[in-house]
Amino acid sequence: VIRITPGPTPTDTDLRRAQTLNRLLRSELGRVRAAATAWRNGLAGLLTALIGFGLIRGRTDIRTLSPGWSVAVGVLLLIALLTGALGALCLLRAAHGRAAVSDSSDIQPALVADHQEAITSALNLRRGIALTLSCAALLVTAVGITWYGPAPHASAVRAPVGVQNSATSPDLGF
Amino acid sequence: MSPNRRSPAEPIPYEEVNHPDFAQHATQTFTIETVSPGIVLLHGTCPRCHARIQVPFVDKVFRTWSKGRPDGRGSGESALSGRQETIICTCEEQHPNRPDDHVGCGAYWILRFEQVIQ
């Protein structure tokens, strides 16, 4: 149990601090939403620039890699896709909230409800930033492997069926 | 003039003022409600303008600027206990001369919160 007793005489500094805290609380949700919208737009631009730059060309690039490395690139791209999608959802959640229906008995005072939503949105914003930047890093890594990864060995290249000739066919001794 | 029509009571003007009686009044009228971990609400009436007010105390607030060292505070009532906080009137009533970005009537006081073992 908390007991309340009178405190000392407040100073002007105490008043200003209390006013600042109250102002921060009242503007908290709006500030989170604005920050999330800015991050959402900035990170979307970054990803668009990365993809639009033509880093991933698709099948033709992958086929210039040795099989093991092309699989690695595929896995990286899949993780990047999942990470990016999750990051985008987190950023959208932070910027626009959650579409939810609440019981009327769960309604809190406006300042409390806004504070709880602001803290949840801030958490999603941080997650969204981390996930989206991870997505960008995975994309760059996949592109780096595609560009600089080892080419397939000559012996691993199969000749098309029907073009073997006697000079290259092994002598089986029949 | 209609007999049913009466002039509204003149609201007291906004003025940043404190008085020892404010804290004394608040200790007798304010109650504490723990809404959720990290959020505590004080309910009571302002000792100056007598409006019903709710004063939230939170252990975290969103900000977009970097901070120094963490303050190591806990959450909920445990964060409030052992502390003293400046309370300002946060009423929504109209008080003349109130600056645009301010709330309340301007009254402020300090309360001390102590954990009592029962």
Side-chain angles (χ1 to χ4, degrees), chain A residues 49-127:
Chain A
L50 272 178
I51 296 169
F53 185 57
L55 297 180
I56 305 295
R57 297 271 179 83
R59 192 178 180 90
T60 52
D61 276 346
I62 302 295
R63 292 182 79 175
T64 61
L65 286 171
S66 65
W69 286 99
S70 62
V71 169
V73 168
V75 170
L76 280 175
L77 288 176
L78 178 63
I79 298 173
L81 178 69
L82 294 174
T83 309
L86 202 56
L89 285 176
C90 285
L91 288 175
L92 288 171
R93 165 69 181 81
H96 303 291
R98 177 169 164 260
V101 177
S102 286
D103 289 338
S104 54
S105 58
D106 292 339
I107 300 299
Q108 303 275 4
L111 209 53
V112 171
D114 283 356
H115 173 69
Q116 288 173 326
E117 173 62 19
I119 294 299
T120 305
S121 295
L123 186 65
N124 276 284
L125 174 57
R126 292 167 67 97
R127 282 184 187 152

Side-chain angles (χ1 to χ4, degrees), chain A residues 10-172:
Chain A
T11 63
D12 198 52
T13 305
D14 295 327
L15 171 63
R16 300 292 166 235
R17 181 181 173 278
Q19 287 174 333
T20 300
L21 185 59
N22 185 269
R23 205 173 297 127
L24 281 175
L25 266 178
R26 287 181 181 277
S27 63
E28 190 178 30
L29 186 55
R31 290 184 293 110
V32 175
R33 296 280 193 246
T37 303
W39 275 99
R40 180 202 66 189
N41 294 343
L43 291 171
L46 173 69
L47 285 185
T48 305
L50 272 178
I51 296 169
F53 185 57
L55 297 180
I56 305 295
R57 297 271 179 83
R59 192 178 180 90
T60 52
D61 276 346
I62 302 295
R63 292 182 79 175
T64 61
L65 286 171
S66 65
W69 286 99
S70 62
V71 169
V73 168
V75 170
L76 280 175
L77 288 176
L78 178 63
I79 298 173
L81 178 69
L82 294 174
T83 309
L86 202 56
L89 285 176
C90 285
L91 288 175
L92 288 171
R93 165 69 181 81
H96 303 291
R98 177 169 164 260
V101 177
S102 286
D103 289 338
S104 54
S105 58
D106 292 339
I107 300 299
Q108 303 275 4
L111 209 53
V112 171
D114 283 356
H115 173 69
Q116 288 173 326
E117 173 62 19
I119 294 299
T120 305
S121 295
L123 186 65
N124 276 284
L125 174 57
R126 292 167 67 97
R127 282 184 187 152
I129 292 169
L131 285 167
T132 312
L133 290 179
S134 300
C135 169
L138 287 165
L139 278 178
V140 170
T141 306
V143 168
I145 294 173
T146 307
W147 282 1
Y148 302 109
H153 296 298
S155 59
V157 178
R158 287 184 185 171
V161 175
V163 296
Q164 287 182 339
N165 58 41
S166 58
T168 58
S169 299
D171 184 1
L172 299 179

Side-chain angles (χ1 to χ4, degrees), chain B residues 88-101:
Chain B
I88 58 173
C89 174
T90 57
C91 76
E92 306 280 346
E93 311 298 321
Q94 293 295 322
H95 293 290
N97 307 327
R98 184 167 64 197
D100 287 341
D101 59 342

Side-chain angles (χ1 to χ4, degrees), chain B residues 23-39:
Chain B
Q24 194 64 46
H25 174 274
T27 57
Q28 294 162 4
T29 59
F30 272 60
T31 57
I32 300 177
E33 177 192 359
T34 301
V35 179
S36 65
I39 305 176

Side-chain angles (χ1 to χ4, degrees), chain B residues 11-26:
Chain B
I12 58 173
Y14 179 88
E15 185 183 359
E16 292 176 351
V17 60
N18 71 82
H19 190 278
D21 288 349
F22 290 175
Q24 194 64 46
H25 174 274

Side-chain angles (χ1 to χ4, degrees), chain B residues 53-90:
Chain B
I53 58 174
Q54 292 179 327
V55 185
F57 285 98
V58 298
D59 63 350
K60 292 174 185 168
V61 66
F62 173 76
R63 61 181 182 181
T64 50
W65 60 94
S66 60
K67 63 174 182 177
R69 300 166 63 185
D71 57 13
R73 285 179 184 167
S75 61
E77 282 194 357
S78 61
L80 203 55
S81 67
R83 280 167 54 180
Q84 59 184 30
E85 290 287 346
T86 306
I87 316 292
I88 58 173
C89 174
T90 57

